[in-house]
Amino acid sequence: MLHVPHQAPFFLTIGDRKVGPGQACFVIAEIGNNHNGDFDRAIALIDAAKAAGADCAKFQMRKLDEVYRASSLSGAEDDLSVEYTLDLLRRFELSTQDQKRLLDYCNQVDILYLCTPWDPSSVKVLDGFGVPAFKVASADLTNLPLQAAMVATKKPLIASTGMSTTAEIEAAISFLNGQDASFALLHCQSTYPAALHNINLRFMERLREMHPLVGYSGHERGHAVTLAAVALGAIIIERHITLDRMMEGPDHAASLEPAEYAALMTSIREVELALGPIDMPRQRILSQGELINRENLGKSVVAAHDLAEGAIIRTEDLLVRSPGQGLAPIHLPRLIGQKAKRRLKADDYFFLSDIENTGVTPREYKFNRPWGIPVRYHDVKAFLARCKPDLLEFHLSYSDMGRPPADYFDASFDIDFAVHAPELFEGSRLMDLATDDEEYRRYSVRQTQRVIDITRSLKKYFPKTARPPIVCNVGGFSMDAPFASEKKTHLYETFAKSLSELDVEGVEILPQTMAPFPWHFGGQRHQNIFIFPEETAAICRKMSLNMCVDISHTRLAANHFGFDFYEGIAVLGPYTRHYHLGDSRGVDGEGLQIGDGDTDFGKLGEIMARTAPSAWFIPEIWQGHKNLGEGFWIALERLEPYL
């Protein structure tokens, strides 16, 4: 009968790693005897495992006179396969002294040393080494006396299940549970290399019914099956590593060479990211890229013709049209028969506030610093009729660059202004003042100069602003992976070159702090510059720059790279002229409504007051302009207690 403890452990602690569901896979680079008895080769394999990103390098230790019977060691009775195995083990076994040197080297290069003991004496030696856990080889899953010796050390066990029947696995689990052992099981097919049709990954689910902690020890060619095991919830992955699959020995053919192992590690971490957190909410959360594509490609309910306030809405009063910036058509039946809450012109969007009492209107706000709202040319008069900001930030599109401001303004305004340069220009060209593509860089310089000239022309209508800031996403992105750190210096130098070619008389260029994964064309890219606060502050000092600090972007960068967000904002404070304030979640959920993400705006407000007390700010909320700025008014309401 399977013995189940009162409360089965749901994670192991191995060294300083917590291993279990919801944690990154603990990856064991199994060196075993692939050093072929050569100590220097063992060192090279440790280096390869470390470079690949494995969590530990694992070896094997056995005292042959305790593992094999005397007559087998003499070669008198057993068949050729045993004789062959013993010949390899004698030639390839490292000494206890060499194993200790390998452990010391692992400590030196910061990778965990583990070792599989094949006999009680080896358990004692390894326990004396201070190994943090023991591996039970598949061949010893039924060896209860050896497991008892391991359990007695009070260290966790990782037990492979290859070579054993279901009944034997259940018996081993009952024994370990009866010993109150802390252990994980590894699904395994103990052939080298294993045939795909024999692996039966679905048995991992059966193992998980027997014991909650299940991983995978793979001997297949390639790494597709290993990735599938990760997708199926493996908490531990063990794969053999070799310098050359053609070397003598039984494990080399089932091993991965260093470059392959590195590719496996990259793929494992990618699969983990794609799986999402184990406590993912049951509700589907749209990514920022999906929201962008939903807006561009989705549909909205719009007015088929002018509608008076109070008119009863009929089917023929409604159309479904792109883009998806208004009420989704799934809500269309709720509109029919309702009274129009406001006057609508033909083609006007309906919004959720037209069917629910969710509308928010602006009021007079009080902040301890200048505040404003983001606008397009056509928004200005409507927004200024509803609120009294200290400034406007014009978010230019590339089409706006061809529209004369005089078509929209016939008088001056007694408020400040800023301009946000387009990130996207005609022909699907993104601004990139740091690119190595010289033609592309010069194009970006020319477009940026056009933005500067437009900004100077706007001063006629906003004379209060002596030196209007121009917020720029200056480029420095890459398509499939971030650049190496040494490349970043070149990117900053290229940006400085571009800046020197611009006529910036009467304006100030403000690079914007960036998120690690900017959304371009509804898809993800990698950003390389103006991400890290210390690095950005150093560039500001070197180039005499001020910044627009986008709080959402910098929070996402802190989440991804692990730096302290609040310390970073303090570091950037002395170089901050302007803030974009929005919340964020995870590593790419940007522009969320204030209070809907990870940021403590009370703490943030204290840092802003201390380090950049006069910097301007606007709420930067995704789709905040919809429904006459409803998202902005919500943000300002929520920010007012902190700023």
Side-chain angles (χ1 to χ4, degrees), residues 259-335:
E260 296 169 322
Y261 216 101
L264 170 66
M265 289 302 308
T266 298
S267 297
I268 286 174
R269 300 311 181 207
E270 288 176 348
V271 169
E272 288 174 333
L273 284 173
L275 284 171
I278 194 169
D279 58 349
M280 176 69 78
R282 296 181 68 85
Q283 300 296 323
R284 188 176 186 278
I285 298 174
L286 275 65
S287 71
Q288 187 70 19
E290 284 185 307
L291 290 171
I292 293 170
N293 289 334
R294 176 178 169 131
E295 176 185 329
N296 296 334
L297 304 174
K299 303 294 192 295
S300 303
V301 182
V302 302
H305 46 254
D306 291 356
L307 284 172
E309 183 177 351
I312 302 298
I313 300 172
R314 303 163 301 166
T315 301
E316 54 266 36
D317 298 326
L318 307 174
L319 294 174
V320 174
R321 296 288 187 268
S322 286
Q325 296 183 1
L327 186 71
I330 200 167
H331 298 295
L332 190 148
R334 298 174 63 187
L335 274 171

Side-chain angles (χ1 to χ4, degrees), residues 326-470:
L327 186 71
I330 200 167
H331 298 295
L332 190 148
R334 298 174 63 187
L335 274 171
I336 298 171
Q338 295 249 16
K339 289 183 178 181
K341 293 184 177 181
R342 56 193 171 92
R343 178 178 172 273
L344 292 102
K345 294 183 295 184
D347 245 16
D348 276 357
Y349 292 115
F350 285 87
F351 296 103
L352 195 62
S353 59
D354 289 306
I355 54 176
E356 296 180 359
N357 293 320
T358 59
V360 177
T361 56
R363 59 173 175 79
E364 186 174 339
Y365 303 101
K366 294 182 180 179
F367 293 100
N368 294 320
R369 62 179 65 240
W371 67 276
I373 50 175
V375 295
R376 302 278 297 281
Y377 288 155
H378 60 268
D379 294 326
V380 171
K381 290 183 178 179
F383 277 13
L384 290 183
R386 308 192 79 206
C387 68
K388 297 179 180 179
D390 300 309
L391 63 118
L392 299 175
E393 182 179 307
F394 288 93
H395 283 214
L396 297 182
S397 69
Y398 64 77
S399 60
D400 287 338
M401 292 173 64
R403 297 184 173 116
D407 290 352
Y408 299 89
F409 311 132
D410 52 14
S412 63
F413 302 88
D414 188 27
I415 56 175
D416 282 304
F417 83 104
V419 168
H420 194 310
E423 187 177 9
L424 175 66
F425 296 106
E426 290 182 274
S428 300
R429 285 191 154 190
L430 293 160
M431 179 188 283
D432 195 346
L433 297 170
T435 178
D436 280 337
D437 183 329
E438 183 61 14
E439 187 279 328
Y440 198 167
R441 188 191 69 81
R442 291 188 180 206
Y443 173 85
S444 296
V445 169
R446 290 195 300 272
Q447 297 303 318
T448 304
Q449 189 63 59
R450 288 183 64 199
V451 175
I452 292 170
D453 295 341
I454 290 167
T455 303
R456 284 197 282 245
S457 73
L458 283 168
K459 291 174 70 173
K460 172 183 177 182
Y461 304 99
F462 298 88
K464 184 176 180 180
T465 311
R467 193 180 177 209
I470 301 175

